[in-house]
Amino acid sequence: MNITYSLLDKSLHHLAFHSTTLKALLSDIESELFSKNYSNIPVSKPVFITSLPRAGTTILLMALSRCDQLYSYSYRNMPFIMNPVIWNYAAKLFRKNRTSIFRAHNDGIQIDYNSPEAFEEVVWKHYYPDRFQSDSISLWPDNDSSFQTFFNTQIKKCLYTSPVKGARYLSKNNANISRIPLLKNMFPDSFILIPFRHPISHVYSLFDKHRLFTKIHTDDNFSIRYMEDIGHYEFGHLHKPISFPGFQLQDIHYQPDNINYWLHYWISAYKYLIEFDSLHFICYESLCRSPGQSVSHLLSTLNINVSDEERHRAVAVLKPSNTHSLHDYDTDAGLLSEANHLYQELLSKCLLATTNQSPPPKGADVIEADK
């Protein structure tokens, strides 16, 4: 991996994720000392970014996190995600400012301790450990009042560490596409953003990153423990697909080392998502084609007023993408046709303005967003 973990990093990680006694003790201390400070923080109009991985969720998170009114988990919260208030103070003894480095995905995205990231899944995994034990992840129930109370408390703790009073919660969690009804029931005033990309470019990226993380997991045992602890089961030896309707492992004719597996997964995911109302679909290609206009429209939709400097910071994150070729891959013609048709339906629901984008022919050079 591009990130080098010291012995201290690994030791703290093990304590934070595998010491039941320490986790319980820190939670009790945090509640005793700080609950009066964070209990009255409102969780109003949260923004949830979710989609299949490689859809542009990270770049969208990075862009929106440039707005002071939005606040997300970041690398500074690691490894004590469940205790952000205490760790906010204690981390000063362990963490120092570090120049940005490239993350493990080999996608050109640089991170530092202040970079926002998808650590919210730790909260879900902590509360629902049994749901992550099988070879796939099932869809969540529509309601769970007990978890709602628990989740609200965790969000309030996160917001308490924000330097901006009254900040709104910003989440990037790809696994949340399995929890759309639950999220809407828990947060009726929330905004759920669903980035999507052209299926050929997106499927290539899914397949490519699965191969990359398979190698990483083979070469680095700690990388497996790290990704499993934070609940990232997207790729490599840890891959656990979400059981969307039409995507049950026993019925799939392809394995993850075949690009058609990911094409089938893409179709199943977006056929499921497109049926929901009140979701905001965002075409990644359109977002990058007109970043200034797209960011302004998106912020207006989210009811966020920003300074010119904040808007400029958000726009600056959106960069042109690279190109790759699919000449060497034998894609299933039926699946590809279905995916292209579904892509056109997604474009018709897109929040941002789109031009009529017909799919590139099979084997053509395709856009690889690397996000």
Side-chain angles (χ1 to χ4, degrees), residues 77-98:
N77 295 119
M78 280 292 289
F80 292 95
I81 300 297
M82 299 300 299
N83 307 106
V85 180
I86 286 181
W87 186 237
N88 188 51
Y89 295 103
K92 298 173 184 178
L93 301 174
F94 300 97
R95 299 294 190 213
K96 297 180 180 179
N97 290 328
R98 178 198 285 176

Side-chain angles (χ1 to χ4, degrees), residues 127-340:
Y127 193 87
Y128 294 107
D130 293 342
R131 296 186 69 91
F132 297 87
Q133 300 304 311
S134 65
D135 293 335
S136 60
I137 298 173
S138 60
L139 300 177
W140 253 250
D142 293 358
N143 293 281
D144 189 334
S145 58
S146 178
F147 174 74
Q148 181 173 354
T149 301
F150 174 78
F151 193 31
N152 262 286
T153 299
Q154 292 302 129
I155 292 176
K156 290 179 179 183
K157 290 180 181 181
C158 177
L159 293 176
Y160 176 71
T161 65
S162 170
V164 177
K165 184 177 181 180
R168 289 162 57 184
Y169 180 63
L170 172 64
S171 159
K172 175 239 173 175
N173 187 349
N174 295 330
N176 277 341
I177 54 175
S178 64
R179 306 156 181 151
I180 299 298
L182 178 58
L183 287 175
K184 292 304 296 184
N185 285 330
M186 290 193 299
F187 307 102
D189 63 347
S190 65
F191 296 86
I192 301 180
L193 309 181
I194 312 287
F196 67 94
R197 294 166 55 191
H198 192 284
I200 295 179
S201 58
H202 194 173
V203 166
Y204 174 90
S205 188
L206 290 167
F207 177 56
D208 182 60
K209 293 316 176 236
H210 176 70
R211 292 185 299 179
L212 172 65
F213 275 93
T214 298
K215 183 179 186 306
I216 290 175
H217 293 162
T218 299
D219 297 341
D220 182 359
N221 288 332
F222 182 71
S223 71
I224 298 179
R225 184 196 311 170
Y226 180 94
M227 299 301 281
E228 184 171 25
D229 287 340
I230 64 175
H232 284 213
Y233 296 101
E234 292 98 335
F235 303 117
H237 296 322
L238 295 173
H239 175 58
K240 294 176 185 282
I242 296 171
S243 297
F244 298 109
F247 198 89
Q248 306 299 319
L249 285 179
Q250 66 271 18
D251 300 325
I252 304 302
H253 302 300
Y254 304 103
Q255 296 298 314
D257 60 356
N258 186 306
I259 200 166
N260 289 298
Y261 171 95
W262 298 99
L263 184 55
H264 193 163
Y265 194 45
W266 189 95
I267 293 169
S268 299
Y270 289 107
K271 281 181 68 175
Y272 172 73
L273 292 170
I274 204 170
E275 295 300 321
F276 288 101
D277 296 326
S278 303
L279 300 183
H280 299 285
F281 290 93
I282 298 174
C283 176
Y284 181 83
E285 289 85 0
S286 296
L287 181 67
C288 291
R289 185 180 301 110
S290 304
Q293 179 182 355
S294 297
V295 167
S296 295
H297 183 40
L298 179 57
L299 293 177
S300 176
T301 299
L302 299 177
N303 299 320
I304 298 174
N305 297 316
V306 297
S307 65
D308 290 341
E309 179 183 356
E310 291 173 85
R311 190 185 311 274
H312 176 75
R313 293 200 305 257
V315 171
V317 172
L318 305 173
K319 301 292 185 181
S321 50
N322 301 322
T323 60
H324 292 273
S325 175
L326 286 184
H327 288 296
D328 296 332
Y329 299 100
D330 182 22
T331 53
D332 185 298
L335 289 176
L336 188 59
S337 176
E338 184 177 3
N340 287 330

Side-chain angles (χ1 to χ4, degrees), residues 75-128:
Y75 283 90
R76 284 202 177 274
N77 295 119
M78 280 292 289
F80 292 95
I81 300 297
M82 299 300 299
N83 307 106
V85 180
I86 286 181
W87 186 237
N88 188 51
Y89 295 103
K92 298 173 184 178
L93 301 174
F94 300 97
R95 299 294 190 213
K96 297 180 180 179
N97 290 328
R98 178 198 285 176
T99 56
S100 59
I101 58 177
F102 290 103
R103 69 176 188 161
H105 296 65
N106 193 28
D107 56 9
I109 294 180
Q110 292 184 295
I111 56 174
D112 57 32
Y113 286 130
N114 294 316
S115 298
E117 189 47 281
F119 294 126
E120 178 197 278
E121 188 66 3
V122 174
V123 179
W124 293 84
K125 194 167 183 283
H126 175 87
Y127 193 87
Y128 294 107

